[in-house]
Amino acid sequence: MTCFRILLLSSLLLATASGTAQSSNPSGPPVSAQARAIHDSAIVVDTHADTPQRFLDEDFDIGSTDPNDVGHLSLDKARRGNLGAEFFSIWVDPETNQGHFAQHTFDLIDSVYEQAAHHPDRMMMSFSVADIQRAQQEHKLAALMGIEGGHSIENDMHLLRDYYRLGVRYMTLSWSNTNEWADSSGDVNDPKIQHHNGLTDFGKQVVLEMNRLGMMVDISHVADKTFWDAIATTKAPVIASHSSARALTNAPRNMTDDMLRAVAKNGGVVDVNFFSGFLDQNYWNALQAQKAEQAAATRAYLDKLKAEGKQITYVDDDRITREWMAKIPRPPFTVLIDHIDHIAKVAGIDHVGLGSDFDGVSGATPAGMDSAADLPKITQALLDRGYSAEDIRKILGGNVLRVFKEVERVSRELQTQPSSK
Ligand SMILES: [Zn+2]
């Protein structure tokens, strides 16, 4: 999930002119038999898709084969792209769910289980690295879950543990909203928001309890200080489930080179976000330039729905956001590969992965990246840049699986120690 909603309300930045770099093949390379074979030999893991919003709000069936569906993810598209494991994002809009964050969290978790229950032949709920490997052997999509935003736990450690028991295997410490224990990059400069200078003491306890449970600590979306506090606190490797490189695109949601190196030192992984705004400076600048107008139009549209007595859902917001995203030219496919390449060079080949943000970016992905079916193009593009088959398999999922396994190991180790409580 990108952060348009909160961004809409924040200050307007000055824009520079937009222009899209042209490459010989703006929609990505045709996939060779060699690249296809490498791609199919990997367990491909994506750590962030917002499709549960569709399950809940649209009653979307992941088994859909509708050729007109603009969604990024379906079982058919996953199969075509050899996507082996998806971490479905459990994202609770803090604005529209005031007072019942936990209830909406449970509803979204249920929506993922229901999809798996409807398609037992092609999809299975998965809670461990071993489950992902089993799903791969059975040619099923491994369905995992990550909570996007610490507000879901309602400041209650019991709820955090319940989410783990229900199968949630990572939690993003904050979404675009600062919660009561973690500052967010989405509003860190907003003086109207009460900040904590990173993580509070309770926030640090949350990180340690996640370590003990075996729930991966996700630092996407957090404010820079929160990131450094999390790195200093955690006893296990962290993930950035959907973040790109700030050196290439200067957006606060992206990670600086110092952060990339810190994740490498921590043994973690940074999974590149496919949102055009985080991959291409021109796109980001154009987004800032239209922000005020877009915010006004969105507000007017949602106010109209409210006046008609309608309950506002993510789908309503997405509908109008799509129209505004479509006004900006799509960057070429190469920008996605540039970010993967940059992170591989700065953090190292063992610390980069894929965190698409599929179905959470209102269609704003680079040219040629239209759905999970296009994932093999990444393998081809990396091959074209000289990456070995072994390195490509690490990027496609091997690195995430290594981190997940280490988080499981640290959890077992911590659980053998006597509890301090
Ligand atoms: Zn997000």
Side-chain angles (χ1 to χ4, degrees):
M1 180 66 53
T2 55
C3 37
F4 307 133
R5 277 198 105 118
I6 298 293
L7 281 172
L8 290 175
L9 306 171
S10 64
S11 63
L12 175 67
L13 298 175
L14 286 176
T16 59
S18 169
T20 303
Q22 292 300 316
S23 75
S24 57
N25 210 334
S27 295
V31 179
S32 67
Q34 185 200 4
R36 185 76 228 190
I38 294 169
H39 191 82
D40 289 346
S41 70
I43 299 185
V44 182
V45 183
D46 177 36
T47 49
H48 201 92
D50 280 296
T51 323
Q53 304 297 324
R54 302 194 69 197
F55 299 156
L56 205 55
D57 295 346
E58 285 179 58
D59 214 11
F60 174 69
D61 178 354
I62 198 167
S64 167
T65 52
D66 177 0
N68 297 318
D69 182 54
V70 294
H72 286 140
L73 191 58
S74 66
L75 290 174
D76 181 50
K77 288 166 182 169
R79 177 64 57 88
R80 283 191 276 141
N82 188 38
L83 176 61
E86 181 63 65
F87 280 83
F88 288 98
S89 173
I90 305 300
W91 172 73
V92 171
D93 186 334
E95 241 173 279
T96 55
N97 293 287
Q98 281 292 341
H100 55 263
F101 294 156
Q103 186 213 318
H104 202 70
T105 305
F106 288 126
D107 290 351
L108 286 162
I109 289 171
D110 171 73
S111 78
V112 179
Y113 273 88
E114 284 298 294
Q115 292 291 327
H118 288 143
H119 302 285
D121 52 330
R122 288 187 288 162
M123 177 174 177
M124 64 180 259
M125 294 306 296
S126 302
F127 312 104
S128 64
V129 173
D131 284 350
I132 294 172
Q133 288 163 339
R134 197 172 315 129
Q136 183 83 0
Q137 281 160 11
E138 295 179 18
H139 306 289
K140 293 176 185 172
L141 176 68
L144 298 103
M145 295 176 291
I147 286 181
E148 183 174 21
H151 56 283
S152 272
I153 69 167
E154 297 187 350
N155 308 316
D156 184 350
M157 214 65 99
H158 306 90
L159 261 182
L160 174 71
R161 289 195 282 267
D162 286 335
Y163 294 147
Y164 177 85
R165 294 179 188 114
L166 281 171
V168 173
R169 288 298 177 265
Y170 78 68
M171 183 169 76
T172 324
L173 299 178
S174 79
W175 179 61
S176 298
N177 59 312
T178 287
N179 55 49
E180 288 174 72
W181 47 270
D183 288 346
S184 168
S185 65
D187 62 14
V188 76
N189 295 318
D190 184 343
K192 294 189 295 296
I193 304 289
Q194 162 108 44
H195 291 109
H196 324 289
N197 190 31
L199 279 179
T200 65
D201 286 343
F202 177 75
K204 290 172 188 169
Q205 283 176 39
V206 169
V207 167
L208 292 172
E209 185 62 2
M210 290 170 73
N211 291 160
R212 198 187 67 85
L213 291 168
M215 190 187 281
M216 291 185 279
V217 174
D218 178 17
I219 54 76
S220 285
H221 277 286
V222 303
D224 290 6
K225 181 60 165 55
T226 306
F227 167 86
W228 293 109
D229 285 354
I231 285 283
T233 305
T234 187
K235 295 180 185 318
V238 301
I239 64 166
S241 72
H242 58 312
S243 291
S244 303
R246 209 182 293 176
L248 300 187
T249 309
N250 189 16
R253 264 285 275 111
N254 285 346
M255 296 172 69
T256 65
D257 285 358
D258 280 346
M259 289 170 159
L260 298 177
R261 283 186 281 264
V263 170
K265 198 168 161 218
N266 156 277
V269 63
V270 176
D271 300 326
V272 174
N273 190 312
F274 296 5
F275 173 49
S276 298
F278 298 153
L279 295 175
D280 181 61
Q281 193 69 50
N282 291 322
Y283 197 100
W284 176 256
N285 293 343
L287 203 57
Q288 306 313 306
Q290 72 179 29
K291 189 189 279 180
E293 209 186 337
Q294 182 182 341
T298 303
R299 232 179 336 257
Y301 175 69
L302 297 181
D303 284 350
K304 180 174 153 276
L305 291 182
K306 259 185 223 159
E308 290 166 4
K310 294 202 175 111
Q311 180 94 22
I312 307 296
T313 67
Y314 173 69
V315 172
D316 298 312
D317 193 77
D318 182 60
R319 190 173 302 124
I320 189 152
T321 306
R322 269 176 195 275
E323 290 173 21
W324 284 86
M325 293 294 126
K327 292 176 196 287
I328 309 173
R330 290 176 93 177
F333 186 82
T334 46
V335 298
L336 170 59
I337 308 304
D338 291 343
H339 279 255
I340 295 174
D341 194 38
H342 180 83
I343 296 170
K345 287 198 167 79
V346 174
I349 190 67
D350 293 321
H351 305 285
V352 57
L354 307 178
S356 66
D357 217 346
F358 279 152
D359 290 330
V361 297
S362 301
T365 45
M369 181 47 76
D370 296 319
S371 79
D374 292 316
L375 290 169
K377 291 180 186 175
I378 294 176
T379 295
Q380 180 69 56
L382 291 170
L383 201 56
D384 292 345
R385 291 199 192 191
Y387 282 80
S388 69
E390 193 191 341
D391 286 350
I392 291 169
R393 281 190 288 265
K394 286 181 178 181
I395 295 168
L396 293 175
N399 289 334
V400 172
L401 293 181
R402 183 201 73 241
V403 169
F404 193 3
K405 213 169 190 166
E406 179 62 10
V407 167
E408 291 173 343
R409 193 196 64 75
V410 170
S411 161
R412 282 194 301 273
E413 191 178 288
L414 294 173
Q415 290 188 22
T416 60
Q417 293 171 3
S419 171
S420 57
K421 284 177 236 165

